[in-house]
Amino acid sequence: MFEGCSAGLEGAPADLPAFPPGYFAGAAALVRNAGCAPATQIANAFAAGAELVLIRATPSLGAIELQTQGQPPVPAYGIALDAGEALAAHVAAQADVRIDIVPVQGDALGVFSLRGPTPGVYRDLTKPNLAAPGVRIFAASSQPPGYATYDGTSMASPHVAGAAALVRSVRPDWSVPEIASALMTTAKAVGVDDTWARGWTWDQVGSGRIDVAAAVGAGLLLDESVDHFLAADPAAPSLDLRDLNLPSLRDTDCAPSCTWVRGLRSALDTAGEWTVSVEAATPGLQIEVSPVTFTLAGAAGGEGVADRLFADGFDPASPGRDQVLAITATPPPDGALAFGRVILTETGGRAPPQHLTVVASGRQAGSGRPQIATLPAAVTARASASGGIVSQTLTVANHDSGALTWAQTHEHHAAVLWEQAPSGSAGVRSSRSTTQNGGVYTANDFRLRARTVLTTIRTPGLAMAAALTNQPITWAIYPDDGGAPAGDPELRPGQAIWTHTTPADGAGVAIEDGTITLDLAAAGQDVDLPAGVYWLSVFPTYANAVTGTAAHWRWLQATRADLGTKLISPVIYGVSTWSPISVIGVSFDDTAFTIEGRIGGTGIDCAAPWLQLAPSSGEVPGSSARQVSLRLDPRQLAPGTHTTSLCIDSNDPYQPTLIVPVTLTVDP
């Protein structure tokens, strides 16, 4: 349990034997990760003479990212548990073992990376477009010594902007869409997601990880016009998004098959001969391309560039330099998203291989949940006091794939806004120790689609070794920062937008078998949040150590939803940045909690007698919309401007009540 840990520290027994001096002299140490920070194990192995330290992960992990702040100057690597156990058995069976270590790192998706798919009217656009380095980036800092290591999309985005600027400097004649297409079609297409065990998908990384050296050598470009982008605006579309000349091909209503047309321009100075091949990452996806070979002439100096290769009034194709491809996909009939790509190879090696991503589904894709919205989102009307009822058309839209049921309500009530039910009996530590002067803190994300006043926070948990009685309990909510909390209880407590600490028997607190419930009104707390992504952290504070078998609180496990639970423990475990909870060896990746609140804030009036929907309830299939009539009766009102709210309850799990502001001006 505490192999390689220090006796009496981080929960390790006081009589834990240490590695004998010189035990690893001239050799590599193979240590199992459990019970204490990897940096501690590395330091103890180094003190015993190790020239290399290998830490095999706990059963929940295929590999681990070592958090090794403060480790001594010795190479150290994490390896998968099964490989590490096999290596340990081999070492035990041999008198002398020689190993060659070849570390493999990179092109693994960061756990915080934002990803698609995009919902609603944008479902046929693949987002993001690209991925770029954003984990442990060595960058300038305003704090001494002037540089630091950072994670986040704020690190990846400058890589993309800088890559585009470099390509522009080398290829000043390429248009902006052509530069984007060069970066996308030459991006590294193969990598793994944040499990390190599965290949990534286009919905996670777009066309792949940028490769600037390949992009400047791109032999084929795709261009598109401003007019076509404007024409494809979903607010008033005259062109389907799927018809834009983009390097990503996507159709979520591809039954039984679908076809895209793409126009390519040669960027080579000399003639190029191209072959087309296909690759299906999803079994059962069929992709056909015509033609499968083509030859394009080299570029002539000063020659114009075609916007699109269609007879629609835009620039005509350049003879000999342009090629139209027709790509047809037939996805499996299960309705799930299928992923593949079209690979373009210049046979003479004059350009790097390029690819177009393909995503297709036999039915409209989505989360399986409904998502309610109205068009317009707010209603403004004018009527005469002496006139009759005024009717306005209102569209009730469903921007996701699940069936939507809705009904007008005249009561503004609290509702469940986010719920992740327990999925088992295990939990992850989330406790602070005054004895250890630190803690193990966990945080879970939730999303609000509209301004909301929180009313109840419930966190199922396990009180280990002793019941929660009068220990102080802290709740904290942080804004999101690139897929992780923007602050933390130890290093950046001031970044929390709300905190509350009270004893376990304090006002508004209820404890039942380790489950902690906070009634915010009873606790005297007013938490009014705008729409956005937030992180909730909950932890009791103990006078004893919170490692090992000592008393502590654990947050109960749940099936993963959205970004998953993160953990930080700078002092106890040496984890100084928010990381997946699997970093300390748990076998699940999310925790259970429920948040209730009143959408729209306080003071919402849903009971105005002078407005009524007709019909007052209904159903909307996935990715569809229905028109209803909003009837406003000015005869009940005095001349002047009147405001109220149209309130609609629905089965949208993230916005169970939709608040539509209504303003009616009554003329005399």
Side-chain angles (χ1 to χ4, degrees), residues 411-452:
E411 179 184 357
H412 186 222
H413 50 76
V416 174
L417 306 173
W418 193 275
E419 185 171 29
Q420 293 176 209
S423 62
S425 58
V428 61
R429 295 173 195 265
S430 190
S431 304
R432 182 178 181 275
S433 167
T434 55
T435 301
Q436 294 170 296
N437 196 30
V440 184
Y441 311 101
T442 50
N444 208 334
D445 65 298
F446 64 97
R447 296 170 185 261
L448 300 177
R449 290 214 189 113
R451 176 191 171 192
T452 301

Side-chain angles (χ1 to χ4, degrees), residues 113-321:
S113 182
L114 300 182
R115 56 202 78 184
T118 50
V121 295
Y122 297 102
R123 61 185 177 271
D124 287 322
L125 279 181
T126 296
K127 292 292 177 179
N129 289 359
L130 286 164
V135 177
R136 299 203 168 187
I137 303 302
F138 193 63
S141 171
S142 60
Q143 302 299 317
Y147 52 84
T149 300
Y150 295 103
D151 297 337
T153 52
S154 55
M155 294 292 102
S157 295
H159 275 89
V160 177
L166 288 171
V167 175
R168 182 76 170 197
S169 68
V170 177
R171 306 295 187 194
D173 58 324
W174 290 1
S175 69
V176 172
E178 287 180 329
I179 291 173
S181 77
L183 287 168
M184 293 171 68
T185 58
T186 60
K188 187 175 185 297
V190 179
V192 294
D193 67 9
D194 52 12
T195 68
W196 288 30
R198 297 187 298 258
W200 62 32
T201 71
W202 310 137
D203 278 349
Q204 295 172 320
V205 298
S207 293
R209 189 260 297 156
I210 57 171
D211 183 341
V212 185
V216 297
L220 296 172
L221 304 173
L222 292 87
D223 201 11
E224 187 51 284
S225 68
V226 172
D227 290 325
H228 279 179
F229 280 119
L230 294 175
D233 183 350
S238 58
L239 180 69
D240 196 297
L241 286 170
R242 292 169 288 194
D243 291 334
L244 289 172
N245 199 44
L246 302 177
S248 54
L249 318 177
R250 188 183 189 92
D251 193 328
T252 58
D253 193 15
C254 183
S257 61
C258 49
T259 299
W260 303 268
V261 176
R262 291 296 185 263
L264 309 173
R265 176 178 77 89
S266 174
L268 299 177
D269 294 332
T270 59
E273 297 183 359
W274 296 86
T275 62
V276 182
S277 58
V278 299
E279 181 180 275
T282 302
L285 173 64
Q286 299 178 21
I287 305 174
E288 298 179 355
V289 184
S290 178
V292 294
T293 62
F294 56 90
T295 301
L296 296 179
E303 187 174 347
V305 178
D307 290 305
R308 276 169 62 97
L309 307 181
F310 304 105
D312 56 3
F314 290 92
D315 295 342
S318 301
R321 288 187 57 206

Side-chain angles (χ1 to χ4, degrees), residues 273-514:
E273 297 183 359
W274 296 86
T275 62
V276 182
S277 58
V278 299
E279 181 180 275
T282 302
L285 173 64
Q286 299 178 21
I287 305 174
E288 298 179 355
V289 184
S290 178
V292 294
T293 62
F294 56 90
T295 301
L296 296 179
E303 187 174 347
V305 178
D307 290 305
R308 276 169 62 97
L309 307 181
F310 304 105
D312 56 3
F314 290 92
D315 295 342
S318 301
R321 288 187 57 206
D322 295 318
Q323 178 65 51
V324 176
L325 293 183
I327 303 103
T328 299
T330 304
D334 59 5
L337 291 174
F339 300 90
R341 61 174 177 152
V342 175
I343 304 170
L344 306 163
T345 305
E346 206 289 311
T347 58
R350 300 175 183 85
Q354 297 176 245
H355 65 270
L356 309 175
T357 62
V358 176
V359 182
S361 171
R363 64 166 185 256
Q364 290 185 345
S367 68
R369 300 182 292 261
Q371 181 180 340
I372 191 172
T374 62
L375 300 173
V379 175
T380 302
R382 181 178 292 272
S384 171
S386 59
I389 294 176
V390 175
S391 295
Q392 245 184 258
T393 298
L394 189 73
T395 299
V396 179
N398 181 4
H399 288 326
D400 211 332
S401 56
L404 173 73
T405 59
W406 63 271
Q408 182 181 0
T409 180
H410 297 286
E411 179 184 357
H412 186 222
H413 50 76
V416 174
L417 306 173
W418 193 275
E419 185 171 29
Q420 293 176 209
S423 62
S425 58
V428 61
R429 295 173 195 265
S430 190
S431 304
R432 182 178 181 275
S433 167
T434 55
T435 301
Q436 294 170 296
N437 196 30
V440 184
Y441 311 101
T442 50
N444 208 334
D445 65 298
F446 64 97
R447 296 170 185 261
L448 300 177
R449 290 214 189 113
R451 176 191 171 192
T452 301
V453 172
L454 304 190
T455 58
T456 305
I457 299 173
R458 185 177 300 106
T459 47
L462 303 167
M464 308 299 293
L468 285 167
T469 53
N470 60 355
Q471 296 93 339
I473 301 176
T474 298
W475 293 260
I477 293 179
Y478 300 92
D480 178 71
D481 181 17
D488 64 82
E490 280 189 16
L491 302 179
R492 297 171 296 165
Q495 297 299 315
I497 57 179
W498 169 74
T499 60
H500 177 59
T501 301
T502 190
D505 56 358
V509 181
I511 308 292
E512 183 178 357
D513 297 329

Side-chain angles (χ1 to χ4, degrees), residues 501-530:
T501 301
T502 190
D505 56 358
V509 181
I511 308 292
E512 183 178 357
D513 297 329
T515 293
I516 303 172
T517 301
L518 179 65
D519 181 328
L520 283 93
Q525 297 298 300
D526 181 14
V527 184
D528 190 341
L529 301 176

